[in-house]
Amino acid sequence: MRTEVAIIGAGPAGLLLSHLLSLEGIDSVVLETRTREYVEARIRAGILESSTVELLDAVGLGDRLREEGDEHRGIYLRWPGERHHLDFVDLAGRSVWVYGQTEVTKDLGRAREEAGQEFYYGVSDTAVHDLTTDRPYVTFRSADGEDVRLDADVIAGCDGSFGPSRGAVPDAVKRTWERTYPYSWLGILADVAPSTDELIYAWHPNGFALHSMRSETVSRLYLQVAPGEDIAEWPDDRIWDELAVRLGHGQDGWELTPGPITDKSVLPMRSYVMEPMRYGRLFLAGDAAHIVPPTGAKGLNLAVADVALLAPALTAMLRKNNTALADAYSDTALRRVWRCTHFSWWMTTMLHTSGDPFDARLQLSQLRWVAGSEAGATGLAENYAGLPIGM
Ligand code: FAD
Ligand code: DHB
């Protein structure tokens, strides 16, 4: 089998890349280990930066997002006894949208299906070969058990943090940076109207809490917990009680309304960056090349920004034999990756408690500065609402 771009992974990066390439008339085949149903139901990110929304609009994927998503002007920052609203539109001229990764993935899946995209879901044993030649190829076993060889001009590694692409870049070529944070998030999805109009990021001596949402009837909330926390230790009532304490239930007339929990999971938190994001004819995008801790909601937006750079680079390479953008791809993408890596680390370390009383005093001092100074608030707003693609 032959295609122009073999795309490994049908997460947001892989699906959006296939969409952007097809708008340029470039063929791709998408390989995915999971089923389409699994990928579309996987609960992950929920916040889209303005540049992500503008891109989705520009490529015909903004209709349902505009109808069912919810535009937010900013967030609340709170700590015991204080609550401050940061208005990103006033501060940085940009908003964010609440629209789940599940919905982005469904919109992309539908658009690709309508365009006749060739997909292989449920594949196994994916491996990449001959990456430093101009005839690279991928081998995999299809869901029917057939061994397939897919020849391509280029391979796009959009296979997340557990896929084979990252490992295909030899150690002698790559450099990696990693930080594992000493806490995890316990995330819940609940069938209850959000108790807030905008997201609440809360610092508390017991640990960080976040009140997010998915729609007018579905709330998404997170609690900082110990790494490797056993979810069995967290019955629903304990989760709601702890969220109420950390988010400030009863203060200034604000109340948290609990409801039935429909999903519960513990997420580890780490930062990871691999450089370069290219090896020969293999180009990495999204979580395959970098992971950020979720505080600050950057993971999905970074994956989108990567492929927004990669699609024109591959188009110029394959259609005009011009490799300038492809040669610059890794450096260009990594500028934003490191900006978001810093922002996610900064939000994480400002809001999660470590038990060290000196750290706690510094965190509260920083929160007061961010909430009380226009310069501090603008820095957070500019990064959270998102810098322009290609910054
Ligand atoms: P992925 O979405 O991971 O897609 C990669 C795809 O490749 C997957 O579908 C995978 O099955 C497939 N794949 C893997 N191996 C192979 C193979 N061998 N062959 C073929 N296919 C393969 N970000 C936020 O901003 N906010 C959040 O709240 C948030 N929560 C998260 C919760 C979890 C549990 C995780 C894991 C991530 C979360 N993120 C969050 C991060 C965000 O979801 C990711 O940054 C985003 O999904 C990146 O998209 P991607 O397409 O690069 O990777
Ligand atoms: C969500 C996740 C985040 O990491 C974040 O910073 C904001 C919102 C969410 O899942 O809704």
Side-chain angles (χ1 to χ4, degrees):
M1 205 172 28
R2 177 158 185 89
T3 187
E4 293 185 280
V5 182
I7 299 177
I8 310 178
L15 290 173
L16 182 58
L17 180 63
S18 73
H19 186 79
L20 298 177
L21 290 174
S22 81
L23 296 177
E24 300 294 339
I26 294 179
D27 283 339
S28 63
V29 172
V30 180
L31 313 177
E32 167 62 52
T33 41
R34 306 288 193 166
T35 63
R36 180 165 168 189
E37 296 68 36
Y38 180 94
V39 172
E40 291 185 354
R42 200 163 43 187
I43 295 155
R44 289 186 170 178
I47 303 292
L48 305 185
E49 295 176 358
S50 54
S51 55
T52 299
V53 173
E54 280 158 23
L55 175 71
L56 293 174
D57 264 340
V59 297
L61 292 164
D63 291 352
R64 201 163 70 90
L65 154 61
R66 296 272 175 196
E67 230 166 78
E68 296 176 25
D70 196 16
E71 185 172 16
H72 283 205
R73 289 182 69 96
I75 57 165
Y76 295 100
L77 276 183
R78 69 151 298 134
W79 56 94
E82 293 197 40
R83 173 178 145 115
H84 300 265
H85 185 248
L86 269 59
D87 189 310
F88 300 158
V89 180
D90 286 349
L91 291 162
R94 293 190 294 277
S95 62
V96 294
W97 282 72
V98 170
Y99 193 63
Q101 182 166 332
T102 47
E103 307 316 300
V104 174
T105 311
K106 282 180 209 158
D107 293 346
L108 280 163
R110 198 166 305 138
R112 299 315 309 129
E113 193 178 5
E114 282 167 15
Q117 173 70 47
E118 202 168 344
F119 282 110
Y120 284 82
Y121 280 98
V123 306
S124 52
D125 296 341
T126 317
V128 295
H129 309 270
D130 289 359
L131 300 174
T132 51
T133 72
D134 53 11
R135 315 280 302 169
Y137 65 98
V138 185
T139 51
F140 63 95
R141 181 160 299 153
S142 74
D144 307 333
E146 191 190 342
D147 287 320
V148 183
R149 169 177 164 145
L150 172 62
D151 288 281
D153 296 315
V154 164
I155 300 172
C158 302
D159 44 1
S161 47
F162 304 110
S165 298
R166 188 188 276 187
V169 182
D171 287 345
V173 173
K174 73 183 169 203
R175 201 161 164 208
T176 59
W177 287 262
E178 196 159 4
R179 164 117 352 140
T180 302
Y181 299 90
Y183 21 74
S184 293
W185 276 14
L186 170 64
I188 62 161
L189 200 64
D191 276 340
V192 60
S195 301
T196 178
D197 55 341
E198 294 191 331
L199 273 64
I200 306 171
Y201 285 78
W203 182 98
H204 191 277
N206 291 6
F208 171 68
L210 170 60
H211 190 329
S212 182
M213 60 199 76
R214 286 293 177 273
S215 69
E216 282 172 16
T217 55
V218 177
S219 297
R220 176 88 168 136
L221 300 104
Y222 299 96
L223 282 171
Q224 176 188 342
V225 294
E229 184 89 8
D230 181 1
I231 212 156
E233 299 289 320
W234 287 87
D236 294 5
D237 286 350
R238 180 178 176 206
I239 293 174
W240 285 115
D241 288 349
E242 192 58 27
L243 284 166
V245 169
R246 297 188 193 179
L247 290 167
H249 175 86
Q251 287 175 26
D252 305 324
W254 183 80
E255 294 194 344
L256 176 68
T257 309
I261 294 177
T262 56
D263 188 89
K264 210 192 275 192
S265 59
V266 174
L267 328 171
M269 295 181 72
R270 69 188 179 117
S271 298
Y272 173 92
V273 182
M274 188 188 106
E275 292 187 12
M277 289 170 59
R278 173 189 184 176
Y279 176 60
R281 291 267 174 149
L282 172 69
F283 292 81
L284 301 179
D287 278 18
H290 41 73
I291 308 284
V292 287
T295 336
K298 288 292 160 221
L300 169 59
N301 293 293
L302 263 184
V304 168
D306 284 352
V307 297
L309 294 172
L310 185 54
L314 296 182
T315 304
M317 180 175 166
L318 298 176
R319 285 290 173 270
K320 300 191 184 115
N321 210 16
N322 179 346
T323 61
L325 288 176
D327 292 341
Y329 166 70
S330 178
D331 287 345
T332 311
L334 281 163
R335 276 206 298 274
R336 188 192 187 85
V337 167
W338 277 111
R339 177 88 300 282
C340 293
T341 299
H342 174 264
F343 177 67
S344 306
W345 165 86
W346 179 72
M347 287 286 279
T348 300
T349 48
M350 177 170 68
L351 288 161
H352 292 71
T353 48
S354 65
D356 181 313
F358 179 71
D359 285 350
R361 284 288 185 275
L362 293 181
Q363 289 174 320
L364 286 169
S365 170
Q366 185 162 41
L367 282 163
R368 280 194 192 102
W369 175 69
V370 167
S373 131
E374 193 173 332
T378 305
L380 190 152
E382 196 173 88
N383 281 279
Y384 194 109
L387 295 150
I389 286 171
M391 51 76 66

